[in-house]
Each structure stands twice: as structure tokens, then as C-alpha cells.
Amino acid sequence: MSNPPLQAVRGMNDILPDEARLWLWFEDTVREWLDSYGYRNIRMPLVEPTALFKRAIGEVTDIVEKEMYSFEDSLNGDQLTLRPEGTASCVRAVIQHNLLYNAPQRLYYSGPMFRHERPQKGRYRQFHQIGVEALGYADPDIDAEQILMCARLWRKLGLRDVTLQINTLGDAAARKQHREKLIAYLEQYADLLDEDARRRLHTNPLRILDSKNPAMQELITGAPKLMDELHEDAILHFEAVQSILKQHEVVYEINPRLVRGLDYYNRTVFEWVTDRLGAQGTICAGGRYDGLIEQIGGKPAAACGFAMGIERLLSLLQEEGEVKPLSALDVYLVHQGELADAMASVLAEQLRDAGLRVALHSGGGSFKSQMKKADSSSARFALIVGDDEAQAGQATLKPLRGDGEQLKLAQAELAQTINKMIKKG
Ligand code: ATP
Ligand code: MG
């Protein structure tokens, strides 16, 4: 009996070559964009001590309570977790290597994150984020810069249907005052609370405002507002962020219910949302986390950052029809005959020397069957070499897309001619 085929883990996706091209294009665009704001790349391990995430994200959050892939290292018994997000690891690395010793740091990373969620469109168990963190910066110009950065990226990508929501969570003292009022309010309606909310009522009531349960929305709308408890410094900070956004004509909405799903945020929080992706409409989210560095054991330092979900961003791009077909190949080289085979291999190397992307046909077959492969290869041109052409030191160039004549060219002029035709578009 043959073995049954194995499947990928549910919620963890293969990204096949056609789609991966889009990812590469996106990653190139993002890298240029980050360079243009002076952000530098950092790469952390995918696995960290479980304690890091518990301490950073907060014990009473969706992520830590039910979404982490945690396991015991069978060799030494260490408690480990596949990273569910990048900020905690990034801050851990910055502290461990003392990166804030001389200067603040603008850093970014990208890669897979792991959360044990119910898989659905836009929600996966392995998904990918680009994370951007400014560490050691306390002033509102950085919060605003990060929001402006996002707006620039959407323009660069051609995204239209995203809107910006912002809020402020104030500082610790204001949150404490608000927390007491909120608990008192929610206690009055204890029988309207769902299971999550009841559990969080005394541990993390602010999180209840982040609930997506439709049955709770009315209750949440009537809850005491953190905005009413803010102290002056936090108000001034929030106003300064807004005034920079206005100066740059960035449109935003203040959403007092925006609290974010992680504990470490304070002051400015923001989300970029779209209504084109159903329930999974947040493509990018972040904010200030001035207390986190100290909480993880570093010297106190302010910070602000955000992360975007690559799967959601790319599906929004596709939804908006902004994705153009990307060709990975310039030339598909078709060849048949002993002399032709030898020449084609040399020719392919010469064309690559000239900067062209060339697939050399392998596996033999008739001209007809090779031309079929050329057609489906996404190449701009087929280059055909038979023994006659090889003898004459020539090759036939056939455009595969658009119109354009078939040309017989001398081997020596091929690279230049093809490059010229590609430049013309
Ligand atoms: P959500 O409210 O949708 O669960 P979140 O608040 O948990 O999102 P963050 O932790 O802020 O998300 O992560 C930042 C971004 O990463 C999100 O805005 C989203 O674009 C993306 N993201 C988060 N979780 C997933 C997931 N399971 N699958 C795909 N993308 C995700
Ligand atoms: Mg979530």
C-alpha cells in the first residue's frame, strides 16, 4: 500500500512561486521605503523563552492566554514559545546587546509569526509581519512620523481603501483611574458580560473594550472613556501628534475604543483598517510603548512601533486590482540538435552576463513542445536555436507577448538587441 500524502499544518500556508513573486516585489518595495526613513534591519530568532512574551504582552491577553505555540525543550526542560509577534523579541535583543547605549534606534524586522487562532481568510496560524520599532524616542514627532510612513507606503503600493484610526491610552496613572471606573460600570452589568469579559473584569478590564463580540458592543459604547481621565502631558502629546498629521493632510478618525490587544501600549495607538477584507480588516497596527523596555529589564526608555500583516496587505492589493503581472524571465531558450544544444548553453551564459534573465530549456522534445513551455513560462521572448542557426552563428528571437516580428539575429548582437527591446517596453 502506498503512503498517504502528508499535508501542511492547518493555518500554515505554502506560498507558491506565482504568489511568491508578488511577495518579493512587496518586500523590495518595503525595504526601499524603510531605507528612506533611516530604519535598519534586525533579525531575531523565531523561538524565545515563554517568559518573555508573558512579561511583555501581558498574561491576560488573547495571545498569551490562548494563542501561543509553547513547548518544553525536551533536552533541558526550558519553556519556549514560537514568537507570536516581534516587538518583545526586538526589545529583548536591544537590551541584551545594549543597542541604546549611545543612540536611539530605528529598527525593522520581517518574518513569520505564530498564533494558534481559528484559521480563516486573513487569519492564519503562521502569518507574516513587517515590524517597525523606534526605541529611545519619547517625542510625538516619532509617533507622527510612523503614521506618515505608513501613508507613504500605501501611496507607493497604490492602496486606496485604507483609513486611519487613532487613540491615546494616556499614561499609567490615568489608566488606573479609568480602570476603577470601568470595573464599577461593568460590574453593574455583570450578567451581560460574555465569558471572556467576566474573566477579565478584575484582571484586565480595558481589554474588554477590545472585544469583537457583537452582543457586547452596546455595553462597550456606554462605558466610561479613558479619554476623560487623561493627564495634561498625555493630552499635549496626543495633540502634537495630531497637529503633525494635519500639517501633512493625513486624514484620521479618533476611535476612543481603540485599545489594542497587547498590554504594553500607552499614549498613541493607531490602526489602519479597510472594509474590503471582511472581519479581518486591520492591516497595520501599532503605537507607543514607553514602559516595555523597563518591564523587560532594560533601563527605562520610551519607544513606539507598528506591525503590518503581509497576507492581509497583499490580499487587499489583489482585491483592489493593483497587482500587475510580474514577469520573472526575459528569455526562454529553445534548442534542438547536437550543435544547437552546445551553443544554447554558451548563449544562455552570455545573455546572463548582459543582465538578462534566461531559462535554458532542459529535457529535449520537439520544437513544438518546447515552444509550448516557452509560452507558459512568462518570458518576454523565446530564443530559438536549431542546428542550421547554430552553424550560421545565429538565433531566432520570437516575442511571446504583444505583437512584434520574429527576427533572425547574429549571436553577437543578441544581448544588446534584447536589452533595447525590453527598455522600450
Ligand atoms: P486582530 O485584531 O485581527 O486579531 P491583532 O490586534 O491580534 O489583530 P496585532 O498583534 O496588532 O494584531 O498584529 C499586527 C497585524 O498583524 C494585524 O493588524 C494583522 O494585519 C496581522 N495579523 C495579526 N494576527 C494575524 C493572523 N492570525 N493572521 C494574519 N495576520 C494577522
Ligand atoms: Mg489577534
Side-chain angles (χ1 to χ4, degrees):
M1 223 175 76
S2 65
N3 293 324
L6 295 171
Q7 302 271 317
V9 176
R10 208 162 99 80
M12 304 200 179
N13 301 317
D14 296 309
I15 298 162
L16 300 179
D18 279 344
E19 211 196 331
R21 268 218 68 74
L22 178 64
W23 283 64
L24 288 170
W25 165 80
F26 174 76
E27 285 156 4
D28 286 346
T29 309
V30 162
R31 204 170 306 132
E32 261 175 30
W33 161 73
L34 287 160
D35 283 348
S36 79
Y37 284 88
Y39 278 80
R40 299 189 303 149
N41 189 223
I42 181 169
R43 298 171 186 228
M44 301 82 66
L46 302 191
V47 177
E48 296 276 359
T50 304
L52 172 66
F53 301 114
K54 287 193 174 167
R55 217 198 282 179
I57 298 169
E59 297 264 2
V60 195
T61 55
D62 279 347
I63 293 181
V64 172
E65 278 183 325
K66 51 192 182 201
E67 295 174 0
M68 294 205 303
Y69 281 93
S70 297
F71 56 97
E72 189 183 289
D73 184 323
S74 62
L75 295 180
N76 61 11
D78 286 354
Q79 295 300 318
L80 304 176
T81 294
L82 294 183
R83 65 178 187 193
E85 56 105 51
T87 303
S89 317
C90 181
V91 169
R92 195 256 324 125
V94 163
I95 296 169
Q96 183 174 335
H97 304 285
N98 212 5
L99 292 190
L100 290 179
Y101 185 70
N102 280 322
Q105 296 282 333
R106 285 179 165 98
L107 302 175
Y108 77 91
Y109 48 82
S110 68
M113 306 293 163
F114 303 86
R115 297 185 193 176
H116 199 277
E117 306 209 61
R118 193 169 69 75
Q120 52 197 293
K121 186 175 178 324
R123 194 174 291 287
Y124 309 104
R125 291 179 171 172
Q126 175 176 326
F127 64 99
H128 298 76
Q129 287 185 339
I130 311 270
V132 178
E133 319 283 358
L135 303 122
Y137 292 96
D139 293 345
D141 54 344
I142 286 290
D143 317 28
E145 181 184 88
Q146 291 191 339
I147 292 171
L148 291 178
M149 274 176 85
C150 294
R152 177 184 296 277
L153 181 62
W154 314 149
R155 285 199 301 278
K156 221 169 140 92
L157 294 170
L159 278 185
R160 282 161 280 121
D161 297 323
V162 272
T163 56
L164 171 63
Q165 300 193 345
I166 63 172
N167 189 22
T168 176
L169 301 180
D171 295 313
R175 277 211 300 284
K176 187 158 177 287
Q177 280 170 329
H178 172 249
R179 182 192 151 96
E180 279 156 21
K181 290 191 184 168
L182 188 59
I183 293 177
Y185 167 84
L186 293 170
E187 274 174 340
Q188 285 172 41
Y189 300 100
D191 41 340
L192 294 178
L193 300 178
D194 64 13
E195 196 195 313
D196 266 349
R198 222 167 294 146
R199 198 160 31 83
R200 289 175 178 181
L201 180 55
H202 293 278
T203 46
N204 199 344
L206 193 61
R207 264 312 67 77
I208 299 176
L209 303 182
D210 194 27
S211 164
K212 295 189 174 81
N213 181 354
M216 302 246 310
Q217 296 310 307
E218 198 178 328
L219 187 63
I220 291 170
T221 309
K225 300 207 170 18
L226 179 55
M227 204 67 98
D228 300 333
E229 309 293 332
L230 294 185
H231 296 196
E232 195 181 354
D233 284 352
I235 294 174
L236 291 176
H237 187 101
F238 195 43
E239 281 172 357
V241 173
Q242 291 181 64
S243 101
I244 300 172
L245 295 182
K246 284 188 184 129
Q247 183 195 343
H248 290 268
E249 295 175 6
V250 175
V251 179
Y252 61 87
E253 181 196 335
I254 296 178
N255 176 0
R257 284 178 41 195
L258 188 65
V259 296
R260 311 281 308 108
L262 302 88
D263 268 0
Y264 49 61
Y265 289 107
N266 71 312
R267 295 205 175 178
T268 318
V269 287
F270 62 89
E271 286 193 1
W272 291 91
V273 295
T274 177
D275 51 18
R276 293 188 72 144
L277 296 178
Q280 273 58 252
T282 305
I283 57 165
C284 176
R288 190 159 270 290
Y289 52 92
D290 295 332
L292 182 63
I293 298 177
E294 186 178 15
Q295 201 176 309
I296 299 186
K299 274 208 214 101
C304 188
F306 62 93
M308 51 195 164
I310 302 182
E311 284 84 355
R312 290 188 196 174
L313 254 165
L314 293 183
S315 61
L316 180 58
L317 270 173
Q318 277 160 329
E319 193 74 23
E320 290 192 3
E322 277 305 323
V323 176
K324 294 169 194 75
L326 301 160
S327 166
L329 269 185
D330 300 312
V331 174
Y332 192 95
L333 221 164
V334 166
H335 52 101
Q336 200 191 44
E338 212 170 306
L339 203 55
D341 294 347
M343 176 175 150
S345 145
V346 172
L347 198 51
E349 287 298 314
Q350 285 174 351
L351 296 178
R352 291 179 191 123
D353 286 342
L356 292 165
R357 301 169 299 175
V358 182
L360 178 62
H361 177 80
S362 171
S366 65
F367 274 120
K368 197 170 156 209
S369 75
Q370 293 192 34
M371 280 308 291
K372 261 200 196 139
K373 298 230 162 64
D375 271 327
S376 59
S377 73
S378 89
R380 286 274 307 270
F381 302 97
L383 192 59
I384 304 152
V385 188
D387 273 344
D388 287 353
E389 279 120 331
Q391 221 121 43
Q394 291 180 325
T396 302
L397 184 68
K398 182 173 191 275
L400 294 173
R401 272 171 296 143
D403 29 50
E405 294 289 297
Q406 181 165 313
L407 295 172
K408 203 162 247 188
L409 295 164
Q411 196 178 331
E413 57 182 353
L414 270 168
Q416 218 191 358
T417 312
I418 297 173
N419 265 323
K420 246 192 229 153
M421 290 170 82
I422 286 174
K423 268 208 199 91
K424 261 200 272 164

